[in-house]
Amino acid sequence: MATSVNYLYSIRLAEPSDIDDIARLAEALAAYEKRPIGKQQHVAALAEDLSSWYQCLLLEYKASADATPEVVGFALWTYSYFTDVGRYATMSEIFVDSQHRGRGGGRGLMQGIAKIIREKGCNELMWMMYDWNEEANTFYIKMNADNLYETSGLVPMHLKKLDLIHLAGRTSRIEHNL
C-alpha cells in the first residue's frame, strides 16, 4: 500500500516572527485545557526565550498551492538530563486546531521533535497530559507511549512561581556559593 503525502500541511521550526501565532495557539490550548492565560502577558517572554530556552515546531496549512500558509498547530520542548537516562527532552505543549485534527499534523509534529532530539543525542521524550483528555491519551498510546505513573510510579510535581520565590528567599543552614 502506497503512502500518500499531504502537501497541504508542512512542519517547520518557529522563528521570532512567529511569536503571535505561537501565542494565539498557546491561548487556544489553555482555553481547551480550561486554564486560560493572558496572551499579552506571555508574548514578550515567548519572543525572548525562543531558541535559547525552548524549541518550537509549527504546523502550517495551505488551502492551495498559491495560498498563504496558516499556522494551525505547534509543539514546544526543552532539553534536560537524568543520570540514568542521559539527555532527554520534555514536550511542554502540543496543539492542533480542532478543524485540522485527524490529518496527521499531531503525529507530524511528534515525528519532527523525535528527529531533532535524536540528532541532539536525546534518549527519551517526556510530557504530561490531563487524565480527562481521552483524545490525547489515545493519540499517544498509538505511538507506543508509556504512562510513567502506571509503569514506574513517577508522579509529576512542581512549585509555582510564588513558592519558588519563597523557597529561594528562605534562610538556609547550608551556605550557598552560587
Side-chain angles (χ1 to χ4, degrees), residues 52-78:
S52 64
W53 192 260
Y54 71 93
Q55 298 284 298
C56 181
L57 286 180
L58 299 178
L59 173 65
E60 292 184 321
Y61 170 74
K62 284 178 72 168
S64 65
D66 54 340
T68 301
E70 173 190 2
V71 178
V72 297
F74 80 116
L76 299 178
W77 74 95
T78 58

Side-chain angles (χ1 to χ4, degrees), residues 20-162:
D20 287 337
D21 284 321
I22 296 169
R24 173 182 53 81
L25 290 166
E27 190 172 62
L29 172 61
Y32 174 77
E33 293 177 338
K34 299 168 185 68
R35 55 169 187 89
I37 58 172
K39 176 182 172 185
Q40 298 307 319
Q41 171 184 349
H42 298 282
V43 173
L46 281 168
E48 182 179 324
D49 294 341
L50 179 62
S51 298
S52 64
W53 192 260
Y54 71 93
Q55 298 284 298
C56 181
L57 286 180
L58 299 178
L59 173 65
E60 292 184 321
Y61 170 74
K62 284 178 72 168
S64 65
D66 54 340
T68 301
E70 173 190 2
V71 178
V72 297
F74 80 116
L76 299 178
W77 74 95
T78 58
Y79 297 98
S80 196
Y81 200 90
F82 275 140
T83 55
D84 60 335
V85 172
R87 296 176 185 169
Y88 74 96
T90 300
M91 182 175 63
S92 57
E93 297 183 352
I94 184 170
F95 181 75
V96 175
D97 278 337
S98 60
Q99 63 269 30
H100 294 276
R101 292 185 191 147
R103 299 177 188 173
R107 179 174 284 278
L109 288 166
M110 296 285 291
Q111 287 172 325
I113 292 172
K115 288 177 184 179
I116 291 168
I117 70 172
R118 285 300 301 144
E119 288 174 5
K120 299 260 187 193
C122 290
N123 297 310
E124 293 187 5
L125 175 63
M126 297 185 194
W127 64 91
M128 292 187 287
M129 58 167 261
Y130 288 101
D131 59 359
W132 54 259
N133 194 340
E134 286 300 320
E135 182 181 11
N137 189 50
T138 301
F139 171 71
Y140 297 136
I141 287 172
K142 286 181 182 177
M143 283 186 275
N144 207 27
D146 289 327
N147 178 323
L148 287 179
Y149 181 73
E150 291 175 0
T151 60
S152 69
L154 288 175
V155 176
M157 306 289 290
H158 82 285
L159 291 171
K160 294 180 182 177
K161 183 178 180 178
L162 291 177

